[in-house]
Amino acid sequence: REWISIEIHDRIIQPLTSLFQQMQTVFSVDPTNERIVDGKLLVLVKSAIKETRNIMNDLYPSDLGRHGLVKVMNEQLLELENRTGIKTQLSMGFCVTIPHSIEVTLYRIFHEALLNIERHSQANNVSVYLTLSDDRTLIELLVKDDGQGFDLETILNNSKSKGIQSMKRRAEVVGGELFLDSRRGKGTAIEVHLPVKEMN
């Protein structure tokens, strides 16, 4: 994943960025250039760069490699709090090294959960717990909010609920499970159990 992310940066992002800069130069000299203005090429290229960076981050979150899971989670919770006013807290109940593939999976599920909370929950408080199972074989992530909740059966049967399906699939790929609990007016809880040992 890291290698593919680097290749995308070097072989796609850099040429796109160079193209964008050259188009900006042309536009500054000739702002009426029909090919750039009418085709909205600058916007399209900028959007392509942004989406390609998102793919890179999905493959290998660089901040995760530099700072570690807990620090990145703390920073994202603080950003959510500053952006929305939602009160957040993070509790961690163990001190073990998490296999990298498991760490990335935890991060992606956590990140998707925060996106859903910000977009849909109307919550006032979010609590995140990262613990180790009693037999020390599972990493357990729990993300709870006190928002408006939703009808669980309706959401699970909705083919448009890509976020939840994505989280569930990410957990299953590394041999884990995802549990979802929500009721209207009672908030939502997402619980993930992932094996401590890295899967082959």
Side-chain angles (χ1 to χ4, degrees):
R1 283 171 174 265
E2 183 177 8
W3 177 80
I4 293 172
S5 179
I6 292 169
E7 289 294 300
I8 288 173
H9 177 270
D10 292 348
R11 295 164 64 177
I12 301 177
I13 287 284
Q14 288 186 348
L16 278 175
T17 301
S18 176
L19 173 62
F20 181 72
Q21 291 169 344
Q22 291 179 46
M23 289 173 63
Q24 281 185 312
T25 301
V26 172
F27 185 65
S28 66
V29 174
D30 181 12
T32 61
N33 187 299
E34 292 183 0
R35 291 186 178 181
I36 294 178
V37 177
D38 294 344
K40 300 180 181 178
L41 292 182
L42 282 171
V43 174
L44 289 171
V45 174
K46 190 174 182 179
S47 175
I49 292 171
K50 180 181 177 182
E51 288 305 314
T52 308
R53 289 191 187 280
N54 287 341
I55 292 170
M56 285 175 56
N57 192 55
D58 281 346
L59 284 167
Y60 186 81
S62 57
D63 285 349
L64 196 59
R66 287 196 298 267
H67 305 301
L69 179 63
V70 175
K71 184 173 181 180
V72 171
M73 289 172 72
N74 263 316
E75 288 177 350
Q76 294 209 351
L77 286 171
L78 182 60
E79 288 173 6
L80 178 68
E81 194 165 305
N82 291 337
R83 192 166 57 246
T84 66
I86 297 173
K87 298 299 180 185
T88 66
Q89 69 167 11
L90 172 63
S91 299
M92 183 172 174
F94 64 90
C95 185
V96 296
T97 301
I98 305 173
H100 183 67
S101 66
I102 302 302
E103 192 175 54
V104 171
T105 300
L106 283 170
Y107 168 76
R108 297 309 310 170
I109 292 173
F110 165 79
H111 181 70
E112 183 66 36
L114 288 197
L115 287 177
N116 288 340
I117 288 170
E118 183 172 358
R119 291 171 180 166
H120 308 299
S121 74
Q122 299 181 18
N124 295 311
N125 298 279
V126 174
S127 299
V128 180
Y129 303 90
L130 198 57
T131 57
L132 202 61
S133 63
D134 291 340
D135 61 3
R136 303 181 67 82
T137 62
L138 298 172
I139 298 288
E140 299 176 346
L141 171 68
L142 175 62
V143 182
K144 294 177 62 177
D145 70 65
D146 62 353
Q148 63 182 350
F150 51 82
D151 181 74
L152 198 56
E153 185 176 351
T154 300
I155 290 295
L156 292 177
N157 291 329
N158 187 345
S159 60
K160 295 181 179 180
S161 302
K162 300 296 185 183
I164 290 172
Q165 298 302 328
S166 171
M167 288 189 286
K168 188 173 185 297
R169 182 60 184 148
R170 286 182 188 276
E172 291 172 347
V173 163
V174 295
E177 294 181 284
L178 183 140
F179 308 94
L180 185 63
D181 183 27
S182 185
R183 286 176 290 170
R184 293 192 181 278
K186 299 293 183 180
T188 300
I190 296 172
E191 188 169 357
V192 187
H193 296 175
L194 302 181
V196 173
K197 291 187 178 181
E198 195 159 2
M199 303 298 292
N200 292 326

